[in-house]
């Protein structure tokens, strides 16, 4: 995404917004907390306050540029909204986030909602896992 993408969603292309979006897009870490973004900006020599980062991430979420997740770690993490749905597994030992897609799970969720007289409009599935013990 670039400055014109910010303008398309109604946000001015300010330097902090551009840099925060670049950090989210370029990081090897796909799920970043506001603190992670802050550290990455500091490491890059950028002077952006944590309050500004929280405000910008909230604006990005409202504009649909990022998605916010509340995993059991107690804090929010953000990922760039690439338009494709996926679910998550969280390793209970390391905190590693694994993304996955499964058509059977997706179909089953729609069937369950339908069985109860509802139409599924959105969902969030997070599986908490741990490595299998070696035998």
């Amino acid at each position: 995404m670039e400055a014109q993408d910010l303008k398309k969603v109604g946000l001015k292309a300010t330097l902090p917004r551009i840099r925060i979006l670049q950090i989210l897009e370029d990081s090897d870490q796909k799920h970043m907390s506001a603190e992670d973004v802050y550290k990455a900006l500091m490491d890059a020599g950028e002077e952006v306050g944590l309050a500004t980062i929280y405000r910008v991430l909230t604006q990005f979420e409202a504009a649909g540029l990022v998605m916010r997740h509340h995993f059991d770690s107690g804090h929010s993490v953000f990922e760039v909204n690439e338009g494709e749905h996926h679910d998550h597994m969280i390793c209970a030992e390391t905190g590693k986030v694994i993304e996955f897609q499964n058509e059977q799970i997706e179909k089953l969720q729609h069937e369950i909602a339908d069985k109860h007289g509802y139409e599924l409009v959105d969902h969030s599935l997070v599986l908490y896992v741990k490595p299998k013990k070696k035998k």
Side-chain angles (χ1 to χ4, degrees):
M1 282 184 219
E2 297 177 8
Q4 63 262 26
D5 295 312
L6 290 173
K7 291 176 186 173
K8 284 181 189 173
V9 296
L11 296 172
K12 285 185 180 178
T14 64
L15 187 58
R17 286 183 181 139
I18 292 168
R19 290 297 296 130
I20 291 167
L21 194 54
Q22 286 174 334
I23 292 291
L24 290 169
E25 289 179 329
D26 297 343
S27 176
D28 292 336
Q29 188 179 347
K30 290 187 71 168
H31 303 86
M32 298 182 77
S33 68
E35 292 80 6
D36 294 331
V37 173
Y38 178 74
K39 288 176 193 165
L41 287 168
M42 293 298 287
D43 290 346
E46 301 283 337
E47 299 267 342
V48 179
L50 193 53
T52 298
I53 293 168
Y54 275 108
R55 186 172 54 254
V56 168
L57 289 171
T58 300
Q59 292 167 346
F60 285 178
E61 179 187 16
L65 296 175
V66 301
M67 294 181 295
R68 179 190 306 246
H69 301 288
H70 303 281
F71 299 139
D72 266 359
S73 61
H75 65 276
S76 298
V77 293
F78 299 85
E79 70 174 308
V80 174
N81 184 356
E82 296 175 344
E84 291 187 14
H85 172 77
H86 58 269
D87 295 306
H88 298 92
M89 288 189 295
I90 312 297
C91 178
E93 292 181 7
T94 65
K96 179 180 179 183
V97 179
I98 302 111
E99 295 180 353
F100 71 95
Q101 293 175 309
N102 184 290
E103 289 305 316
Q104 289 175 303
I105 291 173
E106 297 302 316
K107 183 176 183 247
L108 185 56
Q109 291 173 118
H110 284 277
E111 289 172 3
I112 291 168
D114 186 57
K115 179 181 173 185
H116 291 277
Y118 292 92
E119 177 183 351
L120 183 65
V121 293
D122 194 15
H123 78 276
S124 174
L125 175 64
V126 181
L127 304 175
Y128 294 92
V129 299
K130 64 180 181 179
K132 288 183 177 181
K133 299 225 188 276
K134 294 181 182 174
K135 295 179 182 181

